[in-house]
Amino acid sequence: MAGEETDERAADDGRHHRIRRTKDQIIYRLSEIRRQMLDGATNAEIMSNLNLPQRTFYRYMHKIYEKDKAELAKENNKTLVTHIFLHRDRLLYALQNCSSIATDTNYSVKDRIEAERLKVDVSLELLKLASEGPMMAQIKHYRERQNNVDWETSGSDEKP
């Protein structure tokens, strides 16, 4: 692997074997890169501080960006689900209010009839949300996966 140290014993007898970094070492390097980035260090400073070749540094940066992207996608999916539940709760509250108005004789007949119409509209919205809400989350998840697969198979350096 590029950018990894050569085993001294192997170099002595003419062979050039690379020492593979353990997962813990890579995680440590990634966290050091991230920490130095947060401290405001430039890429050149980070490469120098960690004694990393440019290719290795950018390979690590790619891993950091991919992990961040995956975390953001998870958070976005959680947020979508939260918004769906909040919307449902608001619709249920509106349905309750419309029911109260529709049966309260203190309101005019016109207001009570309008409340009945709104109950139907809100009920249809709840039905639509119940059927399409989970599907919206699945479609979003499918599109994200498809974009990642398309990018990985294209061989391009830039994601869509």
Side-chain angles (χ1 to χ4, degrees):
M1 304 205 82
E4 294 179 348
E5 299 135 17
T6 303
D7 185 342
E8 293 301 321
R9 291 171 294 151
D12 289 340
D13 63 1
R15 294 176 294 149
H16 294 284
H17 292 281
R18 304 268 184 205
I19 296 175
R20 290 176 97 21
R21 299 210 185 278
T22 66
K23 191 173 186 177
D24 289 340
Q25 289 171 326
I26 292 172
I27 290 170
Y28 173 76
R29 287 278 175 114
L30 294 175
S31 65
E32 273 301 301
I33 290 171
R34 183 184 296 280
R35 185 189 62 73
Q36 289 187 26
M37 286 172 62
L38 291 173
D39 288 344
T42 65
N43 290 353
E45 290 170 342
I46 295 170
M47 285 186 269
S48 174
N49 293 343
L50 297 177
N51 195 26
L52 288 174
Q54 187 175 10
R55 284 181 58 161
T56 303
F57 172 76
Y58 284 107
R59 188 177 68 242
Y60 286 167
M61 289 297 292
H62 179 73
K63 287 182 182 197
I64 289 170
Y65 291 146
E66 288 302 310
K67 184 175 180 180
D68 288 351
K69 182 180 173 189
E71 289 297 319
L72 284 173
K74 270 193 238 177
E75 288 303 313
N76 285 341
N77 285 339
K78 287 179 189 174
T79 301
L80 176 63
V81 170
T82 300
H83 285 289
I84 289 171
F85 283 127
L86 286 172
H87 187 60
R88 183 202 61 193
D89 291 344
R90 287 182 191 118
L91 288 171
L92 287 171
Y93 183 72
L95 185 63
Q96 214 173 18
N97 285 341
C98 288
S99 292
S100 295
I101 292 170
T103 57
D104 190 342
T105 55
N106 293 328
Y107 286 96
S108 70
V109 173
K110 182 180 175 185
D111 288 341
R112 291 175 24 211
I113 291 172
E114 183 60 26
E116 285 292 340
R117 282 193 193 118
L118 286 173
K119 277 176 46 181
V120 171
D121 291 345
V122 169
S123 296
L124 289 173
E125 283 295 316
L126 281 167
L127 185 60
K128 183 178 173 184
L129 184 63
S131 65
E132 293 178 5
M135 187 173 35
M136 286 171 32
Q138 288 175 343
I139 289 171
K140 184 175 186 234
H141 178 69
Y142 172 78
R143 285 182 181 159
E144 288 170 355
R145 281 187 39 213
Q146 192 61 40
N147 284 341
N148 286 337
V149 168
D150 290 346
W151 176 79
E152 289 170 359
T153 59
S154 73
S156 172
D157 286 341
E158 293 194 25
K159 285 199 176 185

